[in-house]
Amino acid sequence: MGEQPIFTTRAHVFQIDPSTKKNWVPASKQAVTVSYFYDVTRSSYRIISVDGAKVIINSTITPNMTFTKTSQKFGQWADSRANTVFGLGFSSEQQLTKFAEKFQEVKEAARLARDKSQEKTETSSNHSQESGCETPSSTQASSVNGTDDEKASHASPADTHLKSENDKLKIALTQSAANVKKWEIELQTLRESNARLTTALQESVASVEQWKKQFSICRDENDRLRSKIEQLEEQCSEINREKEKNTQLQSRIEELESELREKETELKDLRKQSEIIPQLMSECEYVSEKLEAAERDNQNLEDKVRSLKTDIEESKYRQRHLKGELKSFLEVLDGKIDDLHDFRRGLSKLGTDN
């Protein structure tokens, strides 16, 4: 009939280190399925856990076993047949409690099954002993009697009892033969199941190898993509640095443009002021003409000349003062124009470098 799962959970599996008998060695890389199985034909219980194609727990539960909680999420039990100690790490305390309760329940069921099998063995042994003791007594009774009639009278019940015992033995032999055939059929079924499991195991091993190859290909592809991502990150960092440089240059250009606009405004003001210079020159010429006319009239108007000398001196002084201011203004204007030319050359050079 095979084995049937009666309880299933997930946990991290550990085994005790056989060399030190102290440290735990992980038997699984991640949480795996751990199940209780019940064998109907043998009335036995097992804890089985498989990681991929590898059996990491195959422990038959006996009444002498004990499951011990060593922490809130970890428990262990010793298997003398496997000569090791298994440990299970659960994700929660509730899962550990359920597993421990199921262990105690299965342990009690295994004890009851053992007691029943012992009772059956003792009953069969008692029947065999009774049949063995009654046979000598019957023979003794037949040998003690003297006459043939007495022998016949005393032997008849013993023969009847022997016949009944022989019939029981024949029935037991027939049943045992039937059980042997049944066990042979179950053994053949188990062999076929084992063959199917072996085939499935081989297929799973082949699939594991295929997955290993695919994993290796994916890992190489991952490494290649990772290196490409690193290269792109380096390029992005360079682009960011260039953007920062461009931003700085842009801000510098804006500052220079604002300075240029200020200089152009100053140049416009200077140009407006320079437009006044021809008027001043024309006024100077007009004054000179007046002075010449006054000098010509001086000959005739000496009296007027005396009165006008003060005016002439004042006009000369004003003319000299205006010429000095004009000269200084022209010098300042020349300096500003030179500075503006230098500034434009620097700006054009900076634009060429960018």
Side-chain angles (χ1 to χ4, degrees):
M1 294 177 65
E3 289 181 316
Q4 299 176 358
I6 58 176
F7 181 81
T8 301
T9 185
R10 291 184 67 83
H12 291 270
V13 181
F14 299 87
Q15 288 186 6
I16 201 72
D17 191 354
S19 59
T20 62
K21 297 294 183 180
K22 294 181 180 180
N23 300 325
W24 289 105
V25 178
S28 63
K29 295 181 180 180
Q30 58 187 357
V32 295
T33 301
V34 182
S35 303
Y36 286 94
F37 279 84
Y38 174 60
D39 191 345
V40 180
T41 58
R42 299 180 181 179
S43 297
S44 63
Y45 296 86
R46 288 196 301 168
I47 299 176
I48 297 176
S49 178
V50 179
D51 187 8
K54 180 182 177 183
V55 179
I56 55 180
I57 297 179
N58 185 6
S59 177
T60 302
I61 300 176
T62 62
N64 298 326
M65 288 185 177
T66 302
F67 185 82
T68 306
K69 295 180 181 180
T70 57
S71 66
Q72 293 182 351
K73 298 181 181 180
F74 192 85
Q76 66 183 40
W77 78 95
D79 191 345
S80 59
R81 295 182 181 180
N83 193 21
T84 186
V85 179
F86 293 102
L88 296 179
F90 296 89
S91 60
S92 65
E93 187 177 359
Q94 290 79 7
Q95 291 182 354
L96 174 60
T97 303
K98 290 181 181 179
F99 188 88
E101 292 175 354
K102 196 65 180 179
F103 192 95
Q104 188 65 27
E105 179 184 344
V106 169
K107 174 183 172 182
E108 186 67 21
R111 185 184 65 79
L112 293 174
R114 184 189 65 178
D115 294 341
K116 288 181 180 179
S117 64
Q118 288 179 355
E119 289 177 0
K120 290 181 180 179
T121 304
E122 290 175 358
T123 304
S124 61
S125 64
N126 289 333
H127 283 301
S128 63
Q129 288 176 2
E130 289 176 358
S131 62
C133 292
E134 288 174 355
T135 304
S137 66
S138 64
T139 55
Q140 184 178 2
S142 63
S143 62
V144 169
N145 293 323
T147 63
D148 293 337
D149 294 335
E150 292 177 351
K151 289 179 182 179
S153 63
H154 288 287
S156 295
D159 291 338
T160 303
H161 182 72
L162 286 174
K163 286 181 180 179
S164 64
E165 290 295 330
N166 288 330
D167 292 336
K168 291 180 180 179
L169 290 174
K170 286 179 181 179
I171 292 171
L173 183 61
T174 304
Q175 291 179 353
S176 64
N179 290 330
V180 167
K181 290 182 180 179
K182 181 181 178 181
W183 291 339
E184 287 178 353
I185 293 171
E186 291 181 356
L187 180 61
Q188 184 64 27
T189 303
L190 290 175
R191 285 177 179 174
E192 292 176 357
S193 177
N194 191 16
R196 287 196 298 270
L197 290 174
T198 303
T199 304
L201 180 61
Q202 291 176 355
E203 292 177 355
S204 63
V205 169
S207 64
V208 166
E209 293 295 332
Q210 184 178 1
W211 281 111
K212 285 182 178 179
K213 292 180 181 178
Q214 292 181 358
F215 176 73
S216 178
I217 295 171
C218 292
R219 185 173 55 189
D220 295 337
E221 183 69 17
N222 190 15
D223 294 335
R224 187 179 65 80
L225 291 175
R226 189 175 295 172
S227 62
K228 190 173 181 179
I229 288 171
E230 290 177 355
Q231 293 177 359
L232 292 175
E233 287 179 352
E234 292 179 356
Q235 293 178 0
C236 289
S237 60
E238 292 179 357
I239 290 171
N240 291 328
R241 287 194 293 269
E242 292 295 330
K243 285 183 178 179
E244 290 177 357
K245 289 182 180 178
N246 290 332
T247 304
Q248 293 176 357
L249 292 173
Q250 187 69 26
S251 61
R252 179 60 180 166
I253 289 171
E254 290 177 356
E255 291 176 357
L256 293 173
E257 286 179 351
S258 62
E259 292 180 359
L260 180 61
R261 286 193 293 269
E262 292 177 357
K263 296 293 183 181
E264 288 179 350
T265 304
E266 293 179 358
L267 181 61
K268 288 180 180 179
D269 295 337
L270 292 174
R271 285 177 178 174
K272 289 180 181 179
Q273 293 179 5
S274 64
E275 291 176 356
I276 303 172
I277 294 174
Q279 296 178 0
L280 296 174
M281 292 295 292
S282 62
E283 289 180 359
C284 290
E285 292 177 356
Y286 179 70
V287 170
S288 299
E289 291 177 355
K290 272 188 168 186
L291 182 60
E292 292 176 356
E295 287 179 353
R296 285 193 300 270
D297 294 337
N298 192 21
Q299 295 177 0
N300 299 320
L301 301 170
E302 289 181 357
D303 295 334
K304 290 181 179 181
V305 170
R306 292 188 186 94
S307 62
L308 293 172
K309 277 183 180 181
T310 303
D311 296 332
I312 292 169
E313 292 294 329
E314 288 177 357
S315 64
K316 286 182 178 181
Y317 175 77
R318 195 189 329 170
Q319 186 179 7
R320 286 193 301 269
H321 182 68
L322 288 174
K323 285 183 178 180
E325 287 181 354
L326 181 61
K327 185 177 180 181
S328 61
F329 178 76
L330 291 174
E331 289 176 356
V332 172
L333 182 61
D334 292 334
K336 293 290 183 179
I337 292 172
D338 293 334
D339 293 336
L340 185 60
H341 285 301
D342 294 335
F343 179 78
R344 283 188 173 179
R345 283 195 297 273
L347 185 61
S348 61
K349 183 178 181 182
L350 180 61
T352 305
D353 293 337
N354 288 333

